[in-house]
């Protein structure tokens, strides 16, 4: 995992910039979110500078009622980002709508 981190780190800004997170077909958006989640697991705290840029896109996707799969993927991605960067408690303070949105996505 360390080797992978060292390999990905120099390309992190380019990879994040290339991810189609908005205004694309649902399947492409889900694939981009899955890739972001995997990237978060590899890059860990190196992703921290982009967290506040990425979270609004993830929350917007989580609100999208057209695709339950996309909603679950966004929630899973958020979990990977939180676990990788240590941004665990602060999202609930920074984005008060997060908890109700996450609760809506989780099966009852």
């Amino acid at each position: 995992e360390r080797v992978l981190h060292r390999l990905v780190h120099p390309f992190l800004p380019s990879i994040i910039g290339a991810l189609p997170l908005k205004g694309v077909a649902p399947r492409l958006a889900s694939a981009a979110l899955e890739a972001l989640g995997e990237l978060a697991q590899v890059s860990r705290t190196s992703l921290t500078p982009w967290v506040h840029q990425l979270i609004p896109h993830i929350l917007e996707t989580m609100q999208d009622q057209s695709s339950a799969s996309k909603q679950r993927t966004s929630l899973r991605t958020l979990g990977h980002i939180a676990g990788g960067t240590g941004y665990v408690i602060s999202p609930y303070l920074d984005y008060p709508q997060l908890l109700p949105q996450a609760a809506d996505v989780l099966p009852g």
Side-chain angles (χ1 to χ4, degrees):
E1 189 171 293
R2 278 193 115 153
V3 173
L4 202 50
H5 178 270
R6 285 196 325 243
L7 179 67
V8 169
H9 184 73
F11 302 103
L12 201 52
S14 299
I15 294 169
I16 291 170
L19 287 173
L21 297 172
K22 195 170 182 165
V24 295
R27 181 63 197 129
L28 184 56
S30 288
L33 285 169
E34 288 173 15
L36 181 58
E38 295 300 318
L39 186 63
Q41 289 183 309
V42 170
S43 60
R44 319 262 328 139
T45 57
S46 298
L47 192 65
T48 302
W50 291 277
V51 166
H52 290 287
Q53 171 190 337
L54 297 169
I55 299 292
H57 293 296
I58 295 168
L59 293 178
E60 184 177 320
T61 305
M62 204 182 299
Q63 287 179 327
D64 185 354
Q65 299 292 322
S66 69
S67 171
S69 172
K70 205 162 92 169
Q71 288 178 316
R72 287 189 304 272
T73 301
S74 63
L75 187 57
R76 193 170 33 255
T77 299
L78 186 60
H80 290 314
I81 289 173
T85 62
Y87 185 63
V88 178
I89 302 297
S90 298
Y92 297 105
L93 301 174
D94 296 341
Y95 304 95
Q97 75 276 24
L98 173 58
L99 187 58
Q101 280 182 274
D104 287 344
V105 172
L106 294 171

